[in-house]
Structures are given as C-alpha cells and as structure tokens.
C-alpha cells in the first residue's frame, strides 16, 4: 500500500509496525533498527497519535451501541487500538473486567515487537544485533507476580491502583492536549490515509471476530 500511495518506504514501514503491534512503542523500537530519520519517525508517530486520540472517544461509544460484553470490548480494543495507554483508557471507560482483559491481551500483542524487530534487521539489511524491547512488558509481569505472591504488595495494591488511575487520567489529558493543527499538517494526507485504512481493516475484522467468536 505504501508503494501504491508513493509513501517513503521507512515511513510506511513504521506506520504499519505501529498499527500492527503497539503504536509509539513499536515505532520507537523499530526506528533505530531500520535507521529511520527524524522526519520519518515524526510522521509515523503523528499518524498513530491522531488515530489513538480518535479511538479513545469512539470505541466506548461503538461498544455500548453494539451491546458488547466486557470481554468482547476488552478483546476488541486490545487488538484494534494502537498504544497501550489508549487501550487502557478506552477499556477503563467501559468497565473493570474490560480493562483487565484489554491490558492482558494488549501486552501479549506487544510481545510481537521482538520477532518484528529481528525481521526488520533482515528486511533493511541492518547488521546490528541490538533490539530494543519496551520495558513496560517486563514491569507488568513483575507487578502481576508480586501482587499474587508477596503479601505486603497485595495489601498496598489498592492504593497503587488509585495512584495509577490518577496517572492514567493525566496521560489521557496530555494525549488530547498534544493534538493540534500543526500535528495534523505535519503528517500529510497519504501517510494518514495508509494509517486510517490499515486501522479500519484491523478494527472491522477484530470487531467481527469478537462478535462471532468471543463470549
């Protein structure tokens, strides 16, 4: 699709990686491997950022309109929304169980950074052996184990959750505050079109799957 729209190869690849895996984290991990330039990274991040902002508002509305269950909505937004923060934000509006499902599935999806990063070294003929893996995946696993097996952590975890929700609210505010006319203009029509088409295909396909396969 990038070739058809005459989009620069690395920009198209970053948009595709961000859409397929976990938005900005995937772009940040893949960029040094393919030796992307600052402009290419900025365009890809801007495209993903715009769609994340839209998803925060429209996904809960669509979920309620279609009467999706907590599990269905958690699965759908974890598969179809790019960044982890936006997945958590949309799911938290829908319900606690949706949030639990979405977070777990989204972080499992984020693990695809590892094989895609290695694959990228061959596609772009990069001889570097270094692959950047987002730290939040490891921290999520550590927190899960600690909350399950370490009694003092389980006692204070409700307070940590309260602090985390406050942090999430601030994060979502900053996401919205960062969306401006300048960001929209910097992306350009063709890269944004690629991002929108890819996002629509994934969103519709995932929605069909959760409606017919998930309970």
């Amino acid at each position: 699709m990038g070739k058809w729209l005459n989009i620069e190869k690395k920009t198209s690849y970053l948009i595709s990686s961000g859409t397929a895996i976990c938005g900005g984290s995937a772009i940040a991990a893949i960029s040094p491997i393919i030796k992307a330039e600052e402009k290419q990274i900025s365009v890809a991040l801007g495209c993903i950022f715009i769609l994340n902002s839209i998803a925060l508002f429209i996904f809960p509305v669509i979920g309620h309109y279609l009467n999706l269950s907590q599990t269905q909505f958690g699965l759908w937004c974890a598969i179809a929304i790019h960044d982890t923060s936006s997945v958590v934000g949309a799911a938290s509006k829908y319900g606690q169980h949706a949030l639990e499902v979405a977070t777990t599935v989204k972080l499992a999806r984020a693990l695809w950074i590892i094989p895609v990063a290695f694959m990228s070294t061959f596609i772009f003929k990069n001889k570097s052996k270094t692959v950047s893996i987002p730290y939040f995946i490891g921290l999520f696993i550590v927190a899960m184990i600690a909350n399950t097996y370490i009694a003092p952590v389980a006692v204070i975890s409700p307070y940590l959750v309260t602090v985390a929700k406050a942090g999430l609210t601030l994060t979502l505010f900053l996401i919205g505050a960062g969306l401006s006319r300048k960001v929209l203009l910097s992306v350009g029509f063709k890269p944004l079109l690629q991002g929108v088409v890819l996002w629509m295909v994934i969103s519709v396909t995932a929605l069909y799957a959760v409606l017919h396969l998930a309970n």
Side-chain angles (χ1 to χ4, degrees), residues 175-189:
I175 290 175
L179 187 60
S180 65
R181 184 171 180 270
K182 182 179 179 181
V183 173
L184 293 171
L185 292 176
S186 68
V187 172
F189 175 72

Side-chain angles (χ1 to χ4, degrees), residues 14-118:
L14 290 176
I15 292 172
S16 300
S17 299
T19 302
I21 309 173
C22 57
S25 298
I27 292 172
I30 300 298
S31 295
I33 295 173
I34 68 174
K35 297 181 179 179
E37 298 176 359
E38 183 177 346
K39 175 62 176 179
Q40 296 164 335
I41 299 171
S42 297
V43 169
L45 285 174
C47 177
I48 297 301
F49 174 78
I50 291 168
L51 299 181
N52 274 332
S53 301
I54 295 172
L56 276 172
F57 294 100
I58 67 171
F59 269 61
V61 173
I62 295 173
H64 286 299
Y65 178 78
L66 296 176
N67 293 316
L68 297 182
S69 68
Q70 296 273 318
T71 300
Q72 287 176 324
F73 185 81
L75 286 171
W76 182 43
C77 69
I79 295 170
I81 300 179
H82 306 82
D83 278 324
T84 303
S85 59
S86 297
V87 169
V88 172
S92 64
K93 294 179 182 179
Y94 208 79
Q96 182 60 34
H97 182 63
L99 177 60
E100 293 169 357
V101 173
T103 303
T104 304
V105 174
K106 176 59 180 175
L107 292 175
R109 175 184 167 196
L111 291 174
W112 277 96
I113 287 180
I114 301 170
V116 170
F118 280 112

Side-chain angles (χ1 to χ4, degrees), residues 96 99 147 156-168:
Q96 182 60 34
L99 177 60
N147 189 56
I156 64 172
S157 62
Y159 304 101
L160 296 177
V161 169
T162 300
V163 173
K165 287 182 177 179
L168 175 61

Side-chain angles (χ1 to χ4, degrees), residues 157-214:
S157 62
Y159 304 101
L160 296 177
V161 169
T162 300
V163 173
K165 287 182 177 179
L168 175 61
T169 301
L170 176 60
T171 300
L172 298 180
F173 172 79
L174 293 175
I175 290 175
L179 187 60
S180 65
R181 184 171 180 270
K182 182 179 179 181
V183 173
L184 293 171
L185 292 176
S186 68
V187 172
F189 175 72
K190 290 183 179 180
L192 184 59
L193 177 61
Q194 178 188 353
V196 169
V197 171
L198 293 177
W199 188 43
M200 290 296 294
V201 170
I202 291 175
S203 298
V204 173
T205 304
L207 181 58
Y208 177 84
V210 299
L211 284 172
H212 294 84
L213 302 177

